[in-house]
Amino acid sequence: SAACVYSYLAEFSLPTQRALIMVAIILLCRLCIRRVSLLQCWLVSMLAVLILSPLAGNRPGFWLSFIAVGVLLSQFCGQYKDAKILSRITQSLWSQVALFLGLLLPLMVLCLPVSVVAPLANTIVVPLVAWICVPVLLLAISLKSLLPELGVFLLLAADQVLVVAWWFLEYVDKQRDLGWGPSAPLYG
């Protein structure tokens, strides 16, 4: 139900559709007491998104999104059990390296730029948004009717975190000379 609420709040964007479908498939398999691999869930999720939105396959974001999830699943499936804080930080850093390497060829084939500073930006901004901003914003939305002052305070706090994140991203964006990519698609 939390995944459904979050997907609704995110207006069922492609990444939230993917996540919701994967959660639904895993829960359905658990309820039916069937062992299904994460690869099968990933493939069925891709098929389900294409059935629900057939034109999604024409967008690079669809493929990059699913490739990124596939890379993360292949690298980290089941490794977070009993992980210590330092180990989680190491895994977070490694996830960005794995994503960079896993998306390198698809980005080049799609003639999209490749930035060598993107892993650094993602290592800092993704946890900041995922662990701080999104929970605070969801709490603010939940409290808006009951405690309007607290809701507004939380919105302002999340805004300040996003201001810092945006400042950092602008700084990283100025390092564009560290990016590279093909001048023409590799596929034609």
Side-chain angles (χ1 to χ4, degrees):
S1 62
C4 288
V5 170
Y6 179 77
S7 295
Y8 172 76
L9 291 173
E11 297 180 350
F12 293 98
S13 64
L14 182 64
T16 55
Q17 283 180 32
R18 181 197 62 233
L20 179 61
I21 290 168
M22 288 185 83
V23 167
I25 290 168
I26 291 170
L27 287 175
L28 183 63
C29 291
R30 298 266 181 187
L31 288 173
C32 295
I33 310 171
R34 298 213 171 180
R35 295 277 297 165
V36 178
S37 72
L38 286 176
L39 174 63
Q40 291 170 318
C41 290
W42 180 74
L43 290 171
V44 170
S45 298
M46 186 184 302
L47 179 63
V49 169
L50 286 172
I51 289 170
L52 292 172
S53 182
L55 297 178
N58 292 336
R59 293 182 285 185
F62 170 85
W63 296 106
L64 294 173
S65 173
F66 272 98
I67 291 169
V69 169
V71 166
L72 292 174
L73 287 175
S74 71
Q75 292 298 310
F76 300 105
C77 181
Q79 291 187 14
Y80 282 101
K81 291 181 181 176
D82 303 324
K84 301 213 182 304
I85 295 295
L86 184 58
S87 177
R88 289 189 182 194
I89 291 170
T90 303
Q91 288 174 338
S92 178
L93 293 171
W94 173 245
S95 71
Q96 294 307 316
V97 172
L99 284 171
F100 177 78
L101 295 173
L103 292 173
L104 185 60
L105 184 60
L107 286 169
M108 292 178 72
V109 167
L110 294 169
C111 197
L112 295 171
V114 177
S115 172
V116 295
V117 294
L120 170 66
N122 287 341
T123 300
I124 293 170
V125 174
V126 169
L128 192 66
V129 171
W131 298 341
I132 297 173
C133 286
V134 170
V136 168
L137 288 170
L138 292 174
L139 184 60
I141 291 169
S142 302
L143 295 174
K144 185 179 170 190
S145 298
L146 299 172
L147 302 166
E149 294 84 15
L150 182 57
V152 169
F153 173 77
L154 291 173
L155 287 173
L156 292 172
D159 179 62
Q160 289 306 304
V161 173
L162 289 173
V163 165
V164 170
W166 191 258
W167 172 84
F168 176 73
L169 290 173
E170 284 180 335
Y171 172 77
V172 170
D173 185 50
K174 289 178 183 166
Q175 313 307 315
R176 264 189 247 185
D177 293 338
L178 298 175
W180 52 273
S183 58
L186 297 177
Y187 54 83

